[in-house]
Amino acid sequence: NAGVTQTPKFQVLKTGQSMTLQCAQDMNHNSMYWYRQDPGMGLRLIYYSASEGTTDKGEVPNGYNVSRLNKREFSLRLESAAPSQTSVYFCASSESTGTGGTEAFFGQGTRLTVV
Amino acid sequence: GQSLEQPSEVTAVEGAIVQINCTYQTSGFYGLSWYQQHDGGAPTFLSYNALDGLEETGRFSSFLSRSDSYGYLLLQELQMKDSASYFCAVDNAGNNRKLIWGLGTSLAVNP
C-alpha cells in the first residue's frame, strides 16, 4: 500500500525558477490537498480539490497553481519561486471516517529551499 | 474568523499522563481530529470525535465537549517515542469539508 506519494523529497530552487510538485494517491479518495508547513507553524492550506476537475483556494494560494489531473493525481506548481516559499510541502488525501468526519493521509513531504 | 488554540509546548516524564487541550471557534463543526507528527515526518491520524465524550484507542484517548467547543488528547503511560508534535483539527461543516488546523503542541517526554 503506497498511500500518498509525493515527489521530489528535496529541492533547491533559485529565485524566479519554476517547478511542479507531484502527488498521487492510490486510495481512491475524492479529496486532495496541498499544505505548507513552516517552522513552529501548523499546516496552512494552499489549495484543495474536492473531486477530479475541481480546485479551490485555501489560506495561502498566492504564488501557486494546481492541477487535478485525474482522481489519483494533484500537482502543485510554483511559477516563479520566491524565498518566502521556502517551506515543507505536504500533499494529502482524505476519506470520510464513516461518522461524518474526515481522516487525512499525508505524503512524506517535499523540503523546498528557494535561494 | 476561525481559530483553534492549543498549548505550544508540553513536557512530561516517561510513564506519566499528559493532557493536550484544544479550544476551537469555527463557522461549522463536524468533529475534532488529532494528528501526531514526529520531527521530519508527516502528520498521521490518531483519533476523531464527532460526539461528546471520550474515545479510547490504546494508550491514547480523545475527548470532546461540543457545548464548550473544547477537546483534549490524553496520552497515558508516556514513552520516549511519544515525543512529537500533536495537532488538533476541526472538520468544517462547509461543503468542501476542509480541515482547520491548530498550530500544534510540541510534547517532550523526558526519562
Side-chain angles (χ1 to χ4, degrees):
Chain A
N1 291 331
V4 179
T5 303
Q6 59 178 108
T7 56
K9 292 184 179 178
F10 300 93
Q11 183 71 49
V12 178
L13 289 178
K14 293 182 179 179
T15 297
Q17 286 185 317
S18 62
M19 79 162 294
T20 299
L21 281 64
Q22 306 288 351
C23 176
Q25 52 93 7
D26 62 1
M27 296 173 283
N28 202 36
H29 291 165
N30 285 316
S31 299
M32 297 187 73
Y33 313 74
W34 275 104
Y35 291 96
R36 62 176 289 173
Q37 185 176 38
D38 300 295
M41 300 282 289
L43 292 159
R44 291 187 291 172
L45 183 65
I46 304 171
Y47 270 95
Y48 165 77
S49 173
S51 62
E52 180 181 350
T54 67
T55 61
D56 191 19
K57 293 180 179 179
E59 298 174 69
V60 288
N62 291 343
Y64 305 95
N65 286 301
V66 291
S67 179
R68 184 74 182 268
L69 304 169
N70 48 54
K71 192 171 187 177
R72 290 187 65 247
E73 299 172 288
F74 188 36
S75 61
L76 178 72
R77 183 162 178 83
L78 286 71
E79 291 291 350
S80 179
S84 61
Q85 294 178 305
T86 294
S87 189
V88 179
Y89 291 85
F90 288 101
C91 176
S93 66
S94 69
E95 65 177 7
S96 168
T97 62
T99 54
T102 298
E103 176 176 349
F105 297 81
F106 287 81
Q108 287 306 302
T110 297
R111 283 148 184 82
L112 175 66
T113 302
V114 183
V115 298
Chain B
Q2 307 194 89
S3 65
L4 282 78
E5 292 191 8
Q6 53 182 128
S8 59
E9 294 180 351
V10 173
T11 302
V13 297
E14 269 189 301
I17 299 172
V18 71
Q19 178 174 313
I20 299 174
N21 298 320
C22 176
T23 58
Y24 58 89
Q25 183 176 10
T26 57
S27 59
F29 184 85
Y30 264 62
L32 184 69
S33 299
W34 289 92
Y35 287 78
Q36 179 191 61
Q37 184 181 30
H38 286 100
D39 278 350
T44 56
F45 176 81
L46 290 177
S47 68
Y48 171 78
N49 293 68
L51 304 175
D52 287 357
L54 191 68
E55 295 281 345
E56 298 182 68
T57 308
R59 295 187 296 113
F60 293 4
S61 303
S62 57
F63 171 84
L64 175 66
S65 170
R66 295 178 68 128
S67 60
D68 296 322
S69 299
Y70 164 75
Y72 65 72
L73 180 70
L74 189 72
L75 297 82
Q76 303 182 70
E77 301 173 15
L78 281 172
Q79 302 175 10
M80 298 291 288
K81 68 178 182 179
D82 297 329
S83 293
S85 291
Y86 293 84
F87 294 89
C88 58
V90 165
D91 189 350
N92 197 318
N95 290 334
N96 290 335
R97 294 285 192 94
K98 290 180 284 193
L99 289 171
I100 302 170
W101 295 80
L103 295 182
T105 298
S106 177
L107 171 64
V109 180
N110 297 320

